[in-house]
Amino acid sequence: MQSGAERETTGGFSFQEQMSQKEGKETTEAGKSDSKAGPSEAIFERVKTQLRARLGSEVYSSWFGRMKLMEASKGCVRISVPTAFLRSWINGHYLDLITELWKQEAPDTLKVEIVVRTATRNVRATQENKPAAARKAATRPQTALASGTLAGTPSARPNPAKMPEVEGRSNILGSPLDSRYTFDSLIEGASNRVACAAARTVAESDSNAIRFNPLFLHASVGLGKTHMLQAIAAESLRRKPQARVVYLTAEYFMWRFATAIRDNNALTLKEQLRDIDLLIIDDMQFLQGKSIQNEFCHLLNMLLDSARQVVVAADRPPSELESLEPRVKSRLNGGVSLEIGAPDFAMRLSILKQRLASAQAEDGSLDIPEEILVHVARSVTGSGRELEGAFNQLLFRHSFEPQITIDRIDEILGHVCRAGEPKRVRIEDIQRIVARHYNVSKTELLSNRRTRTIVKPRQVAMYLSKVMTPRSLPEIGRRFGGRDHTTVLHAVRKIEGLTDGDRQLAQEIELLKRLISDQA
């Protein structure tokens, strides 16, 4: 989901464009198109009713009262709002809920997007007197194309002399790019400096000077993976306008292949995907299905064997992506894997200052004291997305509370990030950190293997899950491969007994506790 993208161009046009281009056709055809929108509108009304019931009328009126259904077709739902602020707030706080409610009504839904409708209206108003071809080019969303153009941006308009070549490839499109996600807007810090350096090298290198292939970036949610991937795509296209760059989310990749198979167009899709210089895949953890993974593996092998660059991102290392086929994991493990960590205080403060500067560019009267930003940076210690949400909340409140105090900040942000409270430790974090410490994989940790090298880390992880989380013994057992609660109890007692007489193990436990607390 990218801001500024009103619709994805997938070889056709959105519902609204189809309607406008069919004005000269028979009324019966337009009527058929209208009738297809009926079920989606009914679902939309039921989803809004559920939102109002769950969140209350006041919250609903504040954030959802101006939502409109823009498009619902082929498993993709687009809901428009009038401002970028509304889109950002809904994406950050309510998108998962909206997606859940929509999937309850339509289980075949692949994704739900929130977009800003103002941009589309303005573009259409200024383009209505232009030829149809010009309107189509002007309203195309920012997208990484196999033809190597950033559609929708003046700096990347195709050369008229090469239009036949561009048009010949324009039906293979990636996921929309957000024009804000560039290296210039990417804040670097200790937690992402190495990953940034590798990403810049990939974007700036010629296709015959590949150094990191495949480049695999992994981080928890909200730490800037998508920003970095889109920055690679944007910078590569800026430096090499005719490069064939494809940026895709794993979900979009699956949807394109499923659609191509349904339309008996899979061979054409495969051939076009092979004709690229740089492939970027986001959210690899969502790649599901044996047949889809086989297709991806063939594509990956072909690109790597042809010295084409591949960049992949996920929320954990390749070895911990249990849903991936072994062949895919093996290929991904053959490249360079880099982790992006949580931002430190200096980096969080820089992010807030950058966001403030962007807001002040739109509203020159905006003035938030630096001590407020420092306090927020110290209080909100989670992901960049949490920091973004805290800043948006601060910006919203500042519009009618200009003289806001630090005490008031804690009260306002309390329900968003629980400022000042310790972060909740997750069992997944414990498993990942313990596995890394003892040099075993998470898969082995959850397996039925009983070798000493696996049993000890497993028991330590179970013990830490009991003492560092509020989870019950049965719940912990389920999270460790479906084990019985008595197995967890045995592990807890075993580690407690060993730490009394084993100084080295006691030190290991304390070290792991600190690592887990810092990560959380």
Side-chain angles (χ1 to χ4, degrees), residues 133-169:
R135 289 200 304 271
K136 176 182 174 182
T139 57
R140 188 175 296 157
Q142 292 181 351
T143 310
L145 311 181
S147 61
T149 63
L150 256 180
T153 56
S155 61
R157 289 194 184 109
N159 187 334
K162 298 190 177 183
M163 279 301 291
E165 179 183 6
V166 173
E167 288 299 321
R169 293 172 178 164

Side-chain angles (χ1 to χ4, degrees), residues 207-491:
S207 59
N208 60 353
I210 295 173
R211 298 174 61 188
F212 313 121
N213 206 17
L215 174 62
F216 192 100
L217 305 176
H218 61 95
S220 186
V221 295
L223 296 182
K225 299 187 300 295
T226 298
H227 190 150
M228 198 171 293
L229 292 187
Q230 294 207 23
I232 293 173
E235 180 66 15
S236 180
L237 291 172
R238 188 185 70 82
R239 289 174 170 270
K240 297 162 283 188
Q242 295 307 314
R244 292 158 297 186
V245 177
V246 173
Y247 166 82
L248 294 165
T249 64
E251 283 186 312
Y252 190 76
F253 180 85
M254 291 190 294
W255 178 76
R256 287 308 304 270
F257 257 105
T259 303
I261 292 171
R262 183 197 64 195
D263 297 338
N264 296 319
N265 198 31
L267 288 177
T268 303
L269 178 63
K270 291 177 188 178
E271 289 301 320
Q272 291 171 323
L273 276 173
R274 287 169 182 154
D275 188 30
I276 58 178
D277 299 310
L278 172 60
L279 174 66
I280 302 173
I281 301 286
D282 198 2
D283 291 328
M284 177 57 71
Q285 70 273 12
F286 295 131
L287 191 68
Q288 303 288 334
K290 187 172 183 179
S291 61
I292 295 293
Q293 289 194 33
N294 284 337
E295 296 294 348
F296 177 76
C297 190
H298 293 320
L299 174 63
L300 190 63
N301 288 335
M302 189 281 302
L303 292 175
L304 295 179
D305 292 343
S306 303
R308 308 292 178 88
Q309 180 68 56
V310 177
V311 182
V312 179
D315 63 356
R316 48 195 181 275
S319 60
E320 297 182 13
L321 294 172
E322 295 87 354
S323 62
L324 286 188
E325 291 288 308
R327 290 188 303 163
V328 179
K329 287 198 285 188
S330 176
R331 261 306 200 176
L332 295 176
N333 275 319
V336 176
S337 180
L338 300 174
E339 183 176 10
I340 302 173
D344 57 15
F345 167 74
M347 190 173 171
R348 295 195 298 270
L349 183 58
S350 297
I351 292 172
L352 290 173
K353 288 182 176 180
Q354 182 192 68
R355 285 287 290 110
L356 178 60
S358 299
Q360 288 176 330
E362 299 178 5
D363 181 4
S365 64
L366 182 64
D367 181 27
I368 298 178
E370 183 168 350
E371 57 265 25
I372 295 293
L373 298 182
V374 169
H375 182 73
V376 173
R378 291 192 186 280
S379 301
V380 184
T381 58
S383 68
R385 193 164 294 152
E386 288 179 352
L387 199 64
E388 178 86 3
F391 182 83
N392 286 336
Q393 182 78 349
L394 177 63
L395 196 65
F396 176 72
R397 294 288 181 155
H398 188 272
S399 62
F400 50 85
E401 292 184 56
Q403 306 302 322
I404 199 166
T405 64
I406 289 180
D407 290 339
R408 180 70 175 134
I409 292 293
D410 288 339
E411 181 183 345
I412 291 171
L413 300 184
H415 72 286
V416 176
C417 59
R418 299 300 174 193
E421 294 183 10
K423 299 289 289 184
R424 177 174 294 181
V425 175
R426 302 186 308 160
I427 290 179
E428 290 83 356
D429 295 330
I430 293 174
Q431 292 170 339
R432 177 169 50 82
I433 292 172
V434 170
R436 185 187 305 163
H437 178 77
Y438 288 104
N439 197 28
V440 299
S441 70
K442 184 179 176 182
T443 302
E444 291 173 320
L445 204 66
L446 305 184
S447 70
N448 292 323
R449 292 181 58 187
R450 296 178 178 274
T451 59
R452 177 175 174 80
T453 55
I454 302 299
V455 170
K456 179 184 175 182
R458 184 186 297 139
Q459 290 179 336
V460 168
M462 288 181 178
Y463 167 78
L464 291 172
S465 297
K466 182 65 180 71
V467 299
M468 299 188 71
T469 76
R471 303 298 181 187
S472 65
L473 293 177
E475 173 65 15
I476 294 172
R478 285 193 294 271
R479 305 290 279 277
F480 278 84
R483 286 175 164 78
D484 189 78
H485 73 280
T486 57
T487 304
V488 181
L489 181 59
H490 170 74

Side-chain angles (χ1 to χ4, degrees), residues 6-7 70 116-125 139:
E6 297 299 323
R7 53 190 164 64
M70 182 178 178
V116 181
R117 58 177 171 267
T118 308
T120 299
R121 289 175 176 171
N122 290 342
V123 168
R124 288 177 182 167
T139 57

Side-chain angles (χ1 to χ4, degrees), residues 16-54:
Q16 286 82 354
E17 284 186 315
Q18 291 172 5
M19 292 300 293
S20 64
Q21 292 183 2
K22 291 179 181 178
E23 287 176 349
K25 293 190 176 183
E26 296 180 4
T27 306
T28 55
E29 293 183 7
K32 291 178 182 177
S33 297
D34 284 335
S35 65
K36 293 179 182 178
S40 299
E41 289 288 354
I43 292 175
F44 184 51
E45 291 302 320
R46 290 196 294 270
V47 167
K48 289 195 294 184
T49 301
Q50 287 288 330
L51 285 172
R52 187 189 298 272
R54 289 199 184 195

Side-chain angles (χ1 to χ4, degrees), residues 2-181:
Q2 310 301 338
S3 59
E6 297 299 323
R7 53 190 164 64
E8 291 172 284
T9 312
T10 57
F13 305 103
S14 66
F15 176 79
Q16 286 82 354
E17 284 186 315
Q18 291 172 5
M19 292 300 293
S20 64
Q21 292 183 2
K22 291 179 181 178
E23 287 176 349
K25 293 190 176 183
E26 296 180 4
T27 306
T28 55
E29 293 183 7
K32 291 178 182 177
S33 297
D34 284 335
S35 65
K36 293 179 182 178
S40 299
E41 289 288 354
I43 292 175
F44 184 51
E45 291 302 320
R46 290 196 294 270
V47 167
K48 289 195 294 184
T49 301
Q50 287 288 330
L51 285 172
R52 187 189 298 272
R54 289 199 184 195
L55 303 174
S57 298
E58 185 176 348
V59 173
Y60 177 87
S61 299
S62 298
W63 303 114
F64 308 106
R66 292 181 286 175
M67 289 195 314
K68 293 183 179 179
L69 180 62
M70 182 178 178
E71 178 186 5
S73 63
K74 297 182 179 180
C76 184
V77 178
R78 291 182 184 83
I79 298 172
S80 67
V81 292
T83 68
F85 177 78
L86 270 178
R87 178 199 60 215
S88 177
W89 185 261
I90 294 173
N91 276 339
H93 297 82
Y94 298 108
L95 183 60
D96 290 343
L97 175 59
I98 295 173
T99 303
E100 174 191 342
L101 294 175
W102 198 286
K103 286 185 175 181
Q104 288 176 2
E105 299 289 340
D108 60 339
T109 301
L110 294 176
K111 60 180 176 180
V112 177
E113 292 182 349
I114 308 298
V115 299
V116 181
R117 58 177 171 267
T118 308
T120 299
R121 289 175 176 171
N122 290 342
V123 168
R124 288 177 182 167
T126 57
Q127 300 292 328
E128 60 182 358
N129 293 323
K130 292 187 178 183
R135 289 200 304 271
K136 176 182 174 182
T139 57
R140 188 175 296 157
Q142 292 181 351
T143 310
L145 311 181
S147 61
T149 63
L150 256 180
T153 56
S155 61
R157 289 194 184 109
N159 187 334
K162 298 190 177 183
M163 279 301 291
E165 179 183 6
V166 173
E167 288 299 321
R169 293 172 178 164
S170 62
N171 61 336
I172 195 58
L173 306 180
S175 302
L177 293 176
D178 190 327
S179 60
R180 299 172 303 169
Y181 290 165

